[in-house]
Amino acid sequence: MTAVQIVAFTAVMVLGVLVVLCREPLRQSLVNGVFGLSLVILFMVLQAPDVALSEIVVGTVAFPLVLLATIARTREKQRPE
Amino acid sequence: MSFYPFVVAAVLFVAGLYGVVTSRNYVHLAVCLTVMQSSTYIVLLSIGYVHGGTAPIFKGPAKAPPVDPVVQSLTLTDVVVSVVVLALILALAIQAHKRAGTVDPDKMTDLHG
Amino acid sequence: MTPTATPMSRPAGAPASSGRAPARPGGRRLRVGVFAGAAGALGGFLLWALAGLPSFGDYHGTYGRLLNQVGVAQRHASNVVGAIVFDYRGFDTLGEEFILFSSVMGVAFILRGNLKIKDQAPLDPTTNDAMRVVGVLATPVVVLLGLWLAAYGYVTPGGGFQGGVAVAAAGALLWVSTTYRDYNRLTPARLFDAIEGFGAASYVIVGLVGLALDGAFLANFLPLGTSGSLASAGSIGLLNWAAALEVAAANLLLYREFFQEYIQTFPGVEKED
Amino acid sequence: MPLLPPLTVAVPLACAAFVAAFGSLIPRRAVTLTAIAAAVATTALQFAQLLQSLPRDLNHWFGGWTPQHHFALGILFTVDPIDGILACVAGVLVVASLTFSWWGLREVSHLYYALMLAFLGGMAGFAISADLFDIFVFFELMSVTGYGLCSFRQTSSSVMQGALNFAIINSIGAFFILMGIALVYGRTGALNLAQIGAALRGQHPDALVVVSFVFILVGFLTKAGAVPFHFWMSDAYAVAAAPVGALYAGIMSDLGYHAIARIYADGFAGSLGAVEPAVRDMLVGVGVATVVVGAVMCFIQADLKRQIAFLVICHGGIFLCGIGLLNPAGMAGSTLYVAADAMIKAAVFLTMGYIIVSLGTSDEFALRGRGRRRRHALAGVVFGLAGLGFAVVPGSGPWLSASLIQQAAVAAGFAWLPPVLAAGTAVTAAAVLRSGARIFLGWGADHDPLISSAQPDEPQEGEPQEEEGISIVSLAPAGVLLVAGFGMGFAPHLAGWATAAGRQFLDLPGYIHEVLGGQYPPPLRPGPAFHPGAGSWAYGAATAAGALALAAASLRWSASGLGQVVARLLGPPLRGVRAVHSGRVGDMATWMTVGAVALCAAGAIGFR
C-alpha cells in the first residue's frame, strides 16, 4: 500500500466514526460532508473516477439539501395543542 | 498492511450499526445508516483494486493494468440506493415529527407487544 | 383527513394510553451492553471472512478482467464502467432507475400535502442582491457542467446519473438564490412528474425495442461507431440520456418536497397537517 | 431466447412510469382501471411464462450477452416452475388488491397506483432473477416501494413508527446482503449464481464462504420475518392499509425465503453441499424457532392485523422448514404452501379491510358481536373458511402442501418436525377462528387476561374511513382468492409436477450445465400424482380438530375458574415474550446483531 492510500483509508475510518459519534444533527451533517469528501478522495485513490463523481454530486447536493431541510423542520418546538 | 482496507470497512460497518442502536434521533440514525452502507463501498472497491492500476478507461495505449470495472458499477448502484434510503427515512421522520412531536425512536412507543 | 380524532393530542413521549409497555429504566443500558458484546463478535466474524479475500491489490477476478479485455472491442465505449452500467449490466441500472423513481413517488406520497405555499408569502432569507446575481449566473454553468457530465458518460468518467444530479442541483440553486416564492412556478410538479415518468419509461422502451429487433431485452440495436467519440457505443447513448432525464427530474422533485417542508419553518407560513 | 421473462418486469414498470407521469391529468377511475389492466396483463404473462417453463427452464440473457468462453457476462433471468408459481401468485395478489382498492380506497392519490405497479415489477423480477447483484437490486426496488406504500393515510404517530422501523431494519438487512455479495464476488469473481456455484464447487467451506452465506441469509431472513429478525414485521403490517398489507402478508415476506432457497441451491451448494446436514439443521432450527414464537405471539394478539402479522411469521417458519429440508418434496410442499396460504392470507387481509371500514376498528374485543348483522354475514363466512384453511383442514390447498412437507420431513429423518409444525398451525388457526367467532357470532367474553387488547382510544390507522360505508362487492376479490386457495387441494397432479420441479431446482450440476454450457436436461416429466395417505388425513384432521378445540377453549375459559388458573400460570412467561417485542428500533437492531452472530457461530462450528 502506498502512503497516500493509507492516509485516505485512515481519514475515512476516523471521519466515519466521528459522524456516528456526533449526536447533534446539524453538527453531524457538517461532519458528514467532510466524511463524504474523504470518500471522494479515497475513490480517486482507488482509481474509481466514476464513483468519485457520483459521490461528489451526491455529497455536495443531495445529502445536504435533504438533511438540512429535515433538520430545520424537525427542530421546531412541538405545536401547542 | 494489505489487510488495512478491510479493517476500515469492518470498523465502519459496526460503527454504523452502533449508531443505529444507540440513536436518539431519526435524523442522526439515517446518517448512521449511510455510514454503515459506505463500508460496503469500501469493501467493493478495495476488492477490485490492483497494485499500480489505472481507471478502466481506455483512451490511447494502455500503460498499466486496469482495476476491476465491475465493482465500480456495483458501487454506483449502491450510492444511488444510499440517497434513496436517506430521503425516504427523512421524509418519514418529518411526518413522525408532525404526528408525534418527537423524532426520538425510544419515545415513540405506540406499537409494541 | 379522516373524521376520527387522531391521538396527536397525546403529549410527546407519553406512554401509550393502556400503559402496557412501561419504560424500563435499565432497558437502554441493557440494550447497549448486549449490543457491545454481539457487535464485537460480529466484527470478529466479518474480519475473519474478509481475511479470506485476496490481499489488497492482488485481485484477478475473471468477470472484471474479461470485461476489461473485451469491453472496448465489443461495445466501442472507452469507459468500460459506462459499458457495464448501461449494457452488460444495464438491467441493474433499469432497476436502479426505478428504485429512484419509486422513492420519489414514496416521498411525495408521504409528504405531498394540500397546502398552497404559493398563495402565502414566505419571507426570502436571501436578501443580498450580490448573492442573488452570483446564484443566477452560476445556474447555467452548473447546467452545462451537468450536461457535459452526462454526455460523455461512456467516453470519460461521468454519465446519466452524475449529470442528472448536477442538473437538478442547478434547479435548487435557482430557488435558493432567487426566491422561494417562485419555486412552484419554476418547477411545476406536473411537468416534472411527466418528465420523470417519460425518462423512466423510455429506458424500458429502449429495452423493449432491443427485445423486438434482436430478441433480447436491452440488446444494442444502433451502429456502434468509433470508440472514444460521442457517436459511439450504440444504444448506450440513448439509455444514458434516458437515465439523465429521469435522474434530473427525480432529484428536482425530491428537493421540491423537502423544500416545501423547509418553507413551512418560515415565519408567516401556515403549516399543513 | 424466451421473450416472456423480461416482459413480466417491463410491463408493470413501464405502466408505473405512465401512471406517475399522467395520473394527475386523467380521472381517478381511469387511473385505477389502467393499473388493474396492467396488473392483469402482467399476471397473464406470468401464467404463460409458467406454462412455457414446465418442460424446461426459460433462460433470458439481458442484452443478448450469452456466456462467452463458459463465462456469464450479462444478467440472467431463469424461470423454472418453482419461481414461475411464485411470480404468478404475486401477480394474482396485486390484481386482487387493486380490485379491492376500487371500492376500498376511493380517495387515494395516483401515486399509490404507480407504487403498486412498481412493487409488482419488483416482486416479478425478484422471483426469477438468477444474478446475485440483480437479486439485490430487485430486493431494494421491492423494499423501497414497500416503505412508501406502508405509510399513506398518516393519521397517527404509530403509522410513522411502523414505517420507520420497517425502512430502517430492512435497510440494515440490505447492507448485510451487500456485504455478503461483496465477499462472494471477491472470492469467485462472478455474480451469476450458476457461475458462483461452479467456482465454489469442491471448495471446502472456509470462513469467507460461511460468513458470506450467513450475511446474505440474515438479509433475506429479515425481509421474510424469521426469528429473531422479525420484530419490524408486526409493526409494519399493523399500520399498512388492507390492500397493501394483503401483499406484504401474502407474498412479499415469503419471496425472501424463496431467494434463500435459490441462492443456496444454485450457488452456495457448490461449497456448502458437502456439509448439507449442517445447513439443514441450521435452516430447520431457525424455522422451528420462528414457528414457535410466531404461534405464541399470534394467539395473544387482539388486534386482527397484528394477529395476521404473527400468523405470517409462524407460517413463514413452516415454509423455511420445508425449504431447509433440502429435498424435492420439501421444496415442492413449501412452494405450494406459499401459493395456497398466500391466497388465504390475502383474502383475510382484504376482509379485514372491509370490516375496519364498516365497523371502524380492528380490535377483536371492541368488535365482539358487531359482525352479527346480516350484511356482514359474507365477511364472517370468508373469515371462518379462511380459519379452516389455515388449520389445514383435509381437502384444502394448505393441507395438500403441508402433507408434502410432512412426507419430506420424515424422509429427511426429522420425524419430530411434523407435530411441531402441526401445533404451530393449529395455534395460529385457533386465533383466527376465535376472533372470527367473537366478531361474527358474539361468542366469548369482551376481555381476556391473556390476550392483549389494542388501545381502546386508538383510531384505526392507515385505513380509509368512508362515511357511506363500503360495498359488499368489495369482498369479491377475497372470495375468489379463498376459492383459489382451497381449490389447490383438488389438484393432486400439481403436487407431482412440483416435486419433479423441486428435484430439478436442487440439481446444481445440471443447472450449471444448462446456464454455462447451454445443455438442457431432458424435458421435465411430472412425478406420480401425489395422493395423500392415511397419515396426511390424520395430520390434517388432528390439526383442524386441535385448532377448533383451542379456539373453543379460549372463548370459554375466561369465564371459568379454570381460566383464572391458566391465566396465572401462563401470564408471566407471555408477558416476557411480549416485552421483548418492544417496538423500538434500537432493540430490533440489537436482536439482529445477536441473531447474525448466532448464525455465524453456528455456521463456523457446523459447516467446517
Side-chain angles (χ1 to χ4, degrees):
Chain A
M1 279 180 86
T2 62
V4 179
Q5 286 167 348
I6 293 175
V7 171
F9 274 113
T10 311
V12 166
M13 178 166 69
V14 171
L15 285 164
V17 173
L18 279 181
V19 172
V20 171
L21 294 180
C22 198
R23 300 269 159 188
E24 205 283 310
L26 193 60
R27 202 173 323 139
Q28 190 201 26
S29 70
L30 295 178
V31 182
N32 191 43
V34 185
F35 173 59
L37 203 66
S38 73
L39 279 175
V40 171
I41 294 169
L42 179 67
F43 296 161
M44 289 309 292
V45 169
L46 291 179
Q47 299 295 327
D50 281 277
V51 187
L53 266 176
S54 235
E55 181 65 35
I56 288 177
V57 292
V58 164
T60 56
V61 187
F63 274 19
L65 262 175
V66 170
L67 263 175
L68 293 177
T70 310
I71 291 169
R73 186 73 169 103
T74 57
R75 262 197 167 182
E76 297 169 56
K77 290 193 191 64
Q78 203 197 325
R79 281 165 294 119
E81 222 174 304
Chain B
M1 215 50 204
S2 68
F3 190 54
Y4 187 55
F6 301 120
V7 175
V8 172
V11 167
L12 289 185
F13 192 83
V14 174
L17 202 51
Y18 168 79
V20 172
V21 167
T22 59
S23 187
R24 277 288 171 87
N25 184 325
Y26 278 119
V27 181
H28 170 263
L29 194 154
V31 178
C32 289
L33 278 179
T34 66
V35 171
M36 191 174 171
Q37 191 163 17
S38 56
S39 79
T40 61
Y41 313 158
I42 294 171
V43 172
L44 281 170
L45 292 179
S46 301
I47 285 172
Y49 184 72
V50 178
H51 278 308
T54 56
I57 293 165
F58 299 90
K59 296 192 85 173
K63 301 171 289 281
V67 301
D68 188 307
V70 176
V71 289
Q72 300 196 4
S73 123
L74 305 189
T75 314
L76 282 174
T77 303
D78 204 0
V79 170
V80 178
V81 169
S82 78
V83 182
V84 160
V85 168
L86 185 80
L88 271 169
I89 292 181
L90 291 182
L92 289 169
I94 290 178
Q95 280 297 341
H97 182 261
K98 286 187 204 166
R99 301 291 163 220
T102 177
V103 282
D104 184 344
D106 285 351
K107 283 190 179 156
M108 293 180 74
T109 50
D110 281 353
L111 292 169
H112 47 75
Chain C
M1 280 292 105
T2 55
T4 43
T6 61
M8 284 185 309
S9 47
R10 187 188 299 155
S17 46
S18 67
R20 276 180 301 137
R24 294 159 294 147
R28 230 184 118 79
R29 213 175 306 141
L30 178 69
R31 178 205 293 172
V32 176
V34 172
F35 175 79
L42 186 73
F45 278 118
L46 185 55
L47 283 175
W48 190 34
L50 288 164
L53 288 171
S55 68
F56 179 70
D58 291 340
Y59 184 70
H60 299 290
T62 323
Y63 199 0
R65 209 188 47 212
L66 213 56
L67 289 179
N68 270 333
Q69 281 165 7
V70 302
V72 180
Q74 287 180 340
R75 291 300 303 131
H76 293 218
S78 52
N79 181 0
V80 175
V81 177
I84 295 173
V85 166
F86 289 113
D87 192 9
Y88 293 102
R89 302 191 64 81
F91 194 63
D92 276 351
T93 309
L94 174 86
E96 177 196 310
E97 297 310 317
F98 274 90
I99 289 174
L100 189 60
F101 167 89
S102 309
S103 83
V104 173
M105 297 294 121
V107 167
F109 205 33
I110 295 165
L111 294 180
R112 203 172 273 184
N114 307 316
L115 188 72
K116 295 277 178 286
I117 306 250
K118 66 172 174 217
D119 299 341
Q120 308 199 14
L123 300 173
D124 296 328
T126 310
T127 46
N128 187 331
D129 280 340
M131 236 176 97
R132 288 187 170 173
V133 171
V134 171
V136 171
L137 287 181
T139 305
V141 179
V142 179
V143 171
L144 279 178
L145 184 73
L147 292 177
W148 178 78
L149 270 178
Y152 284 91
Y154 41 94
V155 183
T156 53
F161 177 75
Q162 292 92 332
V165 181
V167 170
L173 186 65
L174 205 58
W175 294 333
V176 176
S177 53
T178 56
T179 159
Y180 287 102
R181 241 172 281 185
D182 288 340
Y183 87 97
N184 252 328
R185 199 146 36 89
L186 291 173
T187 48
R190 279 186 178 180
L191 177 65
F192 281 78
D193 275 351
I195 294 178
E196 195 208 6
F198 176 73
S202 42
Y203 202 110
V204 181
I205 288 165
V206 173
L208 287 173
V209 173
L211 188 69
L213 296 181
D214 287 342
F217 194 79
L218 285 172
N220 181 51
F221 56 88
L222 289 178
L224 288 172
T226 325
S227 34
S229 74
L230 260 190
S232 66
S235 0
I236 288 180
L238 289 180
L239 295 174
N240 188 34
W241 281 111
L245 209 58
E246 203 267 341
V247 170
N251 272 280
L252 263 176
L253 285 170
L254 205 60
Y255 304 155
R256 193 177 184 281
E257 295 301 331
F258 280 93
F259 255 71
Q260 197 143 318
E261 294 300 321
Y262 179 46
I263 288 170
Q264 288 176 47
T265 65
F266 290 6
V269 175
E270 200 181 299
K271 290 173 189 65
E272 65 176 301
D273 280 313
Chain D
M1 235 178 336
L3 301 180
L4 289 177
L7 285 178
T8 61
V9 177
V11 167
L13 289 184
C15 293
F18 173 80
V19 168
F22 304 112
S24 55
L25 306 177
I26 52 181
R28 190 51 29 84
R29 284 303 198 201
V31 172
T32 315
L33 277 181
T34 313
I36 293 176
V40 168
T42 307
T43 312
L45 288 168
Q46 283 168 331
F47 271 100
Q49 153 185 295
L50 172 62
L51 287 178
Q52 249 187 36
S53 76
L54 285 181
R56 64 174 229 184
D57 291 357
L58 305 180
N59 286 312
H60 185 94
W61 293 94
F62 284 93
W65 294 110
T66 47
Q68 297 175 1
H69 315 292
H70 294 280
F71 199 91
L73 289 182
I75 292 173
L76 173 69
F77 267 8
T78 295
V79 186
D80 60 34
I82 301 266
D83 315 308
I85 289 174
L86 294 175
C88 288
V89 174
V92 169
L93 293 195
V94 172
V95 171
S97 285
L98 287 173
T99 315
F100 177 85
S101 309
W102 176 275
W103 294 280
L105 295 175
R106 253 171 285 187
E107 298 297 320
V108 71
S109 135
H110 68 282
L111 297 175
Y112 164 79
Y113 294 100
L115 280 171
M116 285 290 260
L117 289 176
F119 193 41
L120 174 58
M123 291 193 290
F126 185 69
I128 60 177
S129 182
D131 180 284
L132 197 48
F133 193 76
D134 197 51
I135 290 177
F136 169 77
V137 169
F138 277 96
F139 175 85
E140 274 296 332
L141 178 55
M142 209 165 84
S143 304
V144 164
T145 44
Y147 308 153
L149 282 171
C150 184
S151 49
F152 74 102
R153 304 260 177 179
Q154 316 106 356
T155 49
S156 79
S157 65
S158 58
V159 176
M160 307 326 295
Q161 189 195 348
L164 275 163
N165 292 349
F166 177 25
I168 292 165
I169 296 300
N170 274 271
S171 297
I172 297 176
F175 303 155
F176 270 92
I177 294 176
L178 206 49
M179 192 57 98
I181 292 175
L183 286 167
V184 143
Y185 180 77
R187 168 61 58 85
T188 61
L191 290 169
N192 181 286
L193 281 178
Q195 195 85 56
I196 290 172
L200 287 178
R201 222 148 128 195
Q203 274 192 27
H204 182 70
D206 63 353
L208 185 143
V209 174
V210 172
V211 172
S212 62
F213 178 64
V214 168
F215 270 42
I216 292 174
L217 203 60
V218 166
F220 288 120
L221 287 180
T222 303
K223 181 104 245 169
V227 170
F229 310 105
H230 67 287
F231 293 95
W232 62 273
M233 207 158 152
S234 47
D235 298 349
Y237 286 21
V239 301
V244 178
L247 294 182
Y248 290 178
I251 186 71
M252 179 181 77
S253 313
D254 303 331
L255 283 176
Y257 289 122
H258 174 67
I260 292 170
R262 178 155 218 178
I263 288 171
Y264 174 77
D266 294 349
F268 281 91
S271 172
L272 295 178
V275 290
E276 198 169 274
V279 178
R280 190 176 288 140
D281 287 346
M282 181 197 265
L283 295 179
V284 172
V286 176
V288 168
T290 307
V291 169
V292 172
V293 173
V296 170
M297 286 299 293
C298 174
F299 195 74
I300 59 177
Q301 300 298 325
D303 182 83
L304 294 178
K305 285 180 170 177
R306 291 182 81 83
Q307 229 175 52
I308 297 299
F310 284 106
L311 179 138
V312 169
I313 291 171
C314 171
H315 289 198
I318 299 175
F319 308 148
L320 180 58
C321 287
I323 289 168
L325 291 168
L326 300 175
N327 59 20
M331 205 58 231
S334 190
T335 308
L336 293 182
Y337 206 154
V338 168
D341 211 36
M343 306 289 169
I344 302 179
K345 286 184 291 196
V348 170
F349 233 106
L350 294 180
T351 311
M352 274 167 9
Y354 170 85
I355 295 171
I356 294 166
V357 176
S358 313
L359 301 174
T361 175
S362 65
D363 182 83
E364 175 186 335
F365 296 111
L367 284 170
R368 187 175 82 101
R370 287 176 59 195
R372 267 187 297 196
R373 306 239 302 275
R374 260 182 82 158
R375 50 189 283 258
H376 299 318
L378 189 58
V381 170
V382 173
F383 219 80
L385 283 178
L388 290 177
F390 288 141
V392 295
V393 73
S396 65
W399 169 69
L400 188 72
S401 28
S403 311
L404 273 172
I405 294 181
Q406 178 203 9
Q407 205 185 49
V410 175
F414 285 73
W416 54 270
L417 189 58
V420 176
L421 302 186
T425 319
V427 172
T428 51
V432 174
L433 289 168
R434 174 198 76 203
S435 49
R438 208 186 302 268
I439 296 168
F440 295 102
L441 301 174
W443 293 359
D446 58 3
H447 73 282
D448 188 328
L450 281 183
I451 299 170
S452 69
S453 184
Q455 295 130 32
D457 61 339
E458 186 92 351
Q460 267 315 295
E461 310 95 6
E463 278 311 320
Q465 308 262 335
E466 306 204 357
E467 295 189 358
E468 69 270 40
I470 180 169
S471 161
I472 191 108
V473 191
S474 66
L475 283 173
V480 172
L481 288 177
L482 195 65
V483 170
F486 267 83
M488 284 178 65
F490 297 97
H493 290 284
L494 203 60
W497 268 110
T499 310
R503 185 166 300 117
Q504 189 182 298
F505 188 89
L506 292 169
D507 176 19
L508 176 64
Y511 183 64
I512 293 174
H513 274 297
E514 169 187 319
V515 169
L516 300 178
Q519 296 153 340
Y520 284 82
L524 190 65
R525 298 162 65 85
F530 173 73
H531 289 292
S536 308
W537 285 92
Y539 180 90
T543 311
L548 288 169
L550 187 57
S554 165
L555 287 168
R556 300 274 311 170
W557 71 32
S558 50
S560 68
L562 183 66
Q564 303 297 326
V565 179
V566 172
R568 205 165 305 145
L569 279 178
L570 292 181
L574 289 182
R575 262 196 296 282
V577 176
R578 197 177 281 150
V580 168
H581 294 75
S582 64
R584 288 172 197 185
V585 75
D587 291 346
M588 297 180 188
T590 306
W591 276 107
M592 250 181 115
T593 316
V594 171
V597 168
L599 288 181
C600 281
I605 295 164
F607 293 178
R608 286 161 58 80

